[in-house]
Amino acid sequence: MSEREPAAAGLLQRHPQWRWLWLAVLVVVFDLASKAWVSSVFQYGERWDVLPVFQLTLLHNTGAAFSFLADHDGWQRWLFALIGVVAVVGILIWLGRLKRHETILALGLTLILGGAIGNLHDRLMLGYVVDFLAFHWQYRYFPAFNLADSAITLGAILIGWDLMFGGQNVRHKTAEAKSSPTSSQSTSPTRKSGHK
């Protein structure tokens, strides 16, 4: 066994929810691969109809998720890049402080982490984020997005779910543990029966 293996095992014991970081890596890989494929196949602004309400396209978003602040003159690139770096560091610290039973919260944070890294890569390397998923109803289009945005949205939903219902599950399990009889409580001294 190498010296790195015990060190890694000790790190995961101190920060058990870091075991989900592989999911963030998976999000980044699929996000960047999909953006590279779309950028190599599509011309800018080209659209392919996939479903009556869904198209693949190629757009460059200089704003935030779902094209927020995309119509400004470039300063937002560095603002959102800085926000992305702070978010990545903050999420890693938050993950490191989670307890082993806080799995849903850890999954949500990890998905957001992967999405943030995917979009941060685009901002730093390209100056814009590649968006290619476009939903519409008749002639009304929802802002285009990508797999990183999808991971961030799903992660936020998981965090919201955990904040609303996660504490109830913990309280329920704690109440069950307190109400269940222990071996010391269930045993009582027995009297020997006999005649005087």
Side-chain angles (χ1 to χ4, degrees):
M1 181 181 290
S2 66
E3 294 181 0
R4 293 182 179 180
E5 290 178 1
L11 191 63
L12 286 177
Q13 281 186 340
R14 292 193 300 273
H15 309 289
Q17 297 299 358
W18 279 3
R19 70 185 188 274
W20 295 108
L21 288 178
W22 64 266
L23 182 59
V25 173
L26 201 63
V27 169
V28 173
V29 168
F30 277 99
D31 177 62
L32 297 184
S34 62
K35 289 171 179 175
W37 175 78
V38 169
S39 298
S40 66
V41 171
F42 285 71
Q43 298 293 324
Y44 182 82
E46 183 181 359
R47 295 179 182 272
W48 287 2
D49 291 320
V50 179
L51 295 171
V53 295
F54 173 63
Q55 295 175 331
L56 289 176
T57 185
L58 175 61
L59 298 175
H60 298 160
N61 175 17
T62 56
F66 306 110
S67 301
F68 176 65
L69 292 182
D71 55 349
H72 288 256
D73 57 4
W75 59 266
Q76 69 274 23
R77 170 188 180 181
W78 303 110
L79 172 64
F80 292 131
L82 177 61
I83 291 172
V85 171
V86 172
V88 168
V89 173
I91 290 171
L92 285 171
I93 293 172
W94 192 356
L95 272 173
R97 293 178 177 174
L98 292 182
K99 302 296 187 290
R100 186 172 294 277
H101 68 272
E102 297 177 292
T103 303
I104 294 178
L105 182 56
L107 288 173
L109 288 171
T110 307
L111 286 169
I112 293 175
L113 177 65
I117 293 173
N119 283 341
L120 179 62
H121 168 274
D122 282 13
R123 291 188 197 286
L124 294 177
M125 303 303 295
L126 304 174
Y128 54 81
V129 173
V130 176
D131 288 333
F132 60 93
L133 303 172
F135 285 89
H136 65 94
W137 179 251
Q138 296 180 350
Y139 297 103
R140 296 182 180 179
Y141 281 83
F142 187 77
F145 58 100
N146 54 44
L147 294 185
D149 297 330
S150 303
I152 291 170
T153 302
L154 180 57
I157 291 171
L158 288 175
I159 291 173
W161 177 272
D162 185 75
L163 291 176
M164 288 188 294
F165 304 110
Q168 295 178 10
N169 293 336
V170 172
R171 287 193 296 271
H172 180 68
K173 290 179 180 178
T174 303
E176 283 183 345
K178 287 181 178 179
S179 63
S180 63
T182 61
S183 58
S184 60
Q185 293 172 330
S186 60
T187 58
S188 58
T190 57
R191 292 182 179 179
K192 292 183 179 179
S193 59
H195 297 286
K196 292 183 179 179

